[in-house]
Amino acid sequence: MSAYFNGLVLRSSAARPAVAELRRPEVGPGQVRVRVRAAGVCHSDLSMVNGTIRPSYPLVLGHEAAGEVVEVGDHVARASVGDHVVLNWQPACRNCWFCTHGEPWLCSTSSGVASLENGVTLDGAPVHVALGLGAFADEVIAPQNAVIRVPSTLGFDRAALLSCGVLTGAGAVRNTAQVQPGESVVVIGLGGVGLSVVAAARAAGASDVIAVDVSDAKQSLAAAAGATDFVVSSDALSKEIRTRTSGRGADHAFECVGRATTIRAAWRATRRGGKVTVVGMGSNDDQVQLSALDIFSSARTLRSSVYGSADPDIEIPLLADDVLSGRLSLDHLITDRITLADVPDAFDRMSRGEGARSLVTLGR
Ligand code: APR
Ligand code: ZN
């Protein structure tokens, strides 16, 4: 059994990621070793490459993934060798204030960890792994609470999508905004996350789901996800939305881009008293401007949704059931199937706003 495996490494902020040979540590107590079988290219990975967020280097990228448990350390009760698992980049400690007050997605142990060292090395020196995982790799070493068992009938491709984009999008609709039947919804940004919001909003019974993107190539993907309308983003967006919502604006707007301008557009697209849910992760220096009078008189709610305000241990199995029973379809989300070495090109496509999810398949 080789101690070496391949992973996609970002060596510095200016470099292009490249496949490199990594060495894994011994699997420690409470840890599991997972052979990654599928990993989605999520915008948060791109954000680490293009400087929107600043992790430590060198960094093994990737966090939206599923695979098979191949080794467990001592005292591991949650998973056994052979289990099919979804990886969770924000595992709850279950002890901190947030975990014991019903908000495990804000766990103070794992929250905000862009990168950490877990014993994996590159040329004999420690590397960091993205979001505690580093899942653009043949293998991941993770604490046992970062794996969630799923039925093997789900398949690794769909399991991988659940681990970040789908949980984030569906959770934003179900948990954060709590969209009700008959409500109108605007979704700005139609990548894997935004399209998951569209599908969940329709499943929640929204009467109107108006999908918005800068790229009109997203129209057919939006329709496949269940959108009732599609609008190309422009300065006239709020007017466009009003004409489609009896002049009022929508009950809900979901921002799935991660920029101040689209957060403002989402704000302006909602009605008085409406709810704006920020799903996109933007940069620290991108400021949103809203007037004090507007905040007061519009009576809107502005909330962010971190990891779908979800407890992944509970919601990933529920989403897996939804997929297996046909209530939730994910297949339209996969627009490219690629290898590890192709991920930099997938980042380029994502930067241009093309496609939905590129899915890396490994070890098959
Ligand atoms: N208006 C509307 N849509 C826009 C705009 C804009 N001004 N700018 C970009 N977009 C669209 C892009 O064309 C693309 O379709 O937003 C979409 C973003 O999709 P992806 O890049 O595939 O990102 P995704 O993985 O879906 O993540 C979206 O959620 O979790 C966060 O960090 C993640 O901030 C990111 C967001
Ligand atoms: Zn992600």
Side-chain angles (χ1 to χ4, degrees):
M1 192 170 49
S2 168
Y4 292 90
F5 63 97
N6 283 330
L8 189 78
V9 177
L10 181 64
R11 288 181 188 256
S12 70
S13 60
R16 192 162 170 88
V19 176
E21 192 178 67
L22 302 163
R23 189 185 163 94
R24 64 175 161 79
E26 294 292 314
V27 176
Q31 288 187 320
V32 296
R33 181 159 65 91
V34 175
R35 184 156 298 148
V36 180
R37 294 300 192 84
V41 179
C42 171
H43 203 106
S44 305
D45 298 306
L46 173 59
S47 294
M48 295 187 191
V49 176
N50 68 15
T52 304
I53 47 178
R54 296 188 181 87
S56 304
Y57 310 102
L59 177 73
V60 186
L61 292 162
H63 64 278
E64 180 182 270
E68 187 180 345
V69 176
V70 288
E71 189 180 349
V72 298
D74 291 339
H75 316 300
V76 168
R78 253 174 93 97
S80 311
V81 170
D83 283 349
H84 289 203
V85 292
V86 159
L87 297 178
N88 173 358
W89 51 259
Q90 188 122 284
C93 75
R94 306 289 172 197
N95 290 318
C96 74
W97 188 91
F98 293 96
C99 284
T100 54
H101 288 76
E103 296 184 337
W105 56 92
L106 301 179
C107 172
S108 48
T109 308
S110 57
S111 201
V113 176
S115 51
L116 53 77
E117 291 180 17
N118 69 350
V120 173
T121 55
L122 169 70
D123 302 331
V127 288
H128 292 80
V129 292
L131 297 175
L133 297 174
F136 287 150
D138 297 323
E139 297 194 351
V140 162
I141 307 268
Q144 61 172 327
N145 62 349
V147 300
I148 301 166
R149 276 192 296 209
V150 287
S152 59
T153 46
L154 182 62
F156 293 115
D157 296 357
R158 297 186 295 182
L161 297 176
L162 292 187
S163 106
C164 183
V166 173
L167 179 64
T168 298
V173 169
R174 298 179 189 184
N175 306 327
T176 319
Q178 301 184 1
V179 171
Q180 300 300 310
E183 289 190 315
S184 54
V185 171
V186 171
V187 184
I188 302 178
L190 304 173
V193 174
L195 291 168
S196 298
V197 169
V198 168
R202 272 319 282 286
S207 54
D208 302 89
V209 180
I210 307 168
V212 180
D213 203 284
V214 277
S215 159
D216 62 6
K218 296 282 169 137
Q219 182 159 11
S220 55
L221 285 169
T228 56
D229 281 71
F230 176 81
V231 177
V232 174
S233 189
S234 74
D235 292 345
L237 181 64
S238 63
K239 221 163 139 195
E240 288 268 0
I241 301 298
R242 261 162 241 289
T243 60
R244 288 167 160 83
T245 51
S246 311
R248 278 194 304 277
D251 297 315
H252 293 271
F254 291 85
E255 196 275 355
C256 306
V257 181
R259 289 206 190 132
T261 50
T262 36
I263 292 172
R264 239 188 96 72
W267 175 266
R268 287 166 50 83
T270 49
R271 65 168 170 83
R272 277 191 91 185
K275 291 185 184 173
V276 181
T277 304
V278 177
V279 188
M281 179 177 58
S283 76
N284 199 28
D285 42 19
D286 195 13
Q287 305 282 323
V288 184
Q289 261 203 334
L290 299 170
S291 82
L293 180 61
D294 189 9
I295 290 171
F296 173 77
S297 63
S298 73
R300 293 174 177 119
T301 306
L302 175 68
R303 241 192 112 175
S304 88
S305 180
V306 173
Y307 214 178
S309 311
D311 183 338
D313 286 340
I314 295 170
E315 298 204 25
I316 292 281
L318 295 176
L319 286 166
D321 273 354
D322 285 349
V323 174
L324 287 170
S325 68
R327 284 189 297 274
L328 179 66
S329 165
L330 306 181
D331 297 337
H332 60 277
L333 287 177
I334 303 171
T335 47
D336 295 278
R337 288 181 179 278
I338 61 173
T339 66
L340 268 189
D342 301 326
V343 172
D345 291 340
F347 285 144
D348 293 342
R349 284 196 298 279
M350 182 174 257
S351 302
R352 294 193 298 266
E354 294 170 13
R357 273 295 189 260
S358 297
L359 193 82
V360 184
T361 51
L362 298 114
R364 298 187 226 174

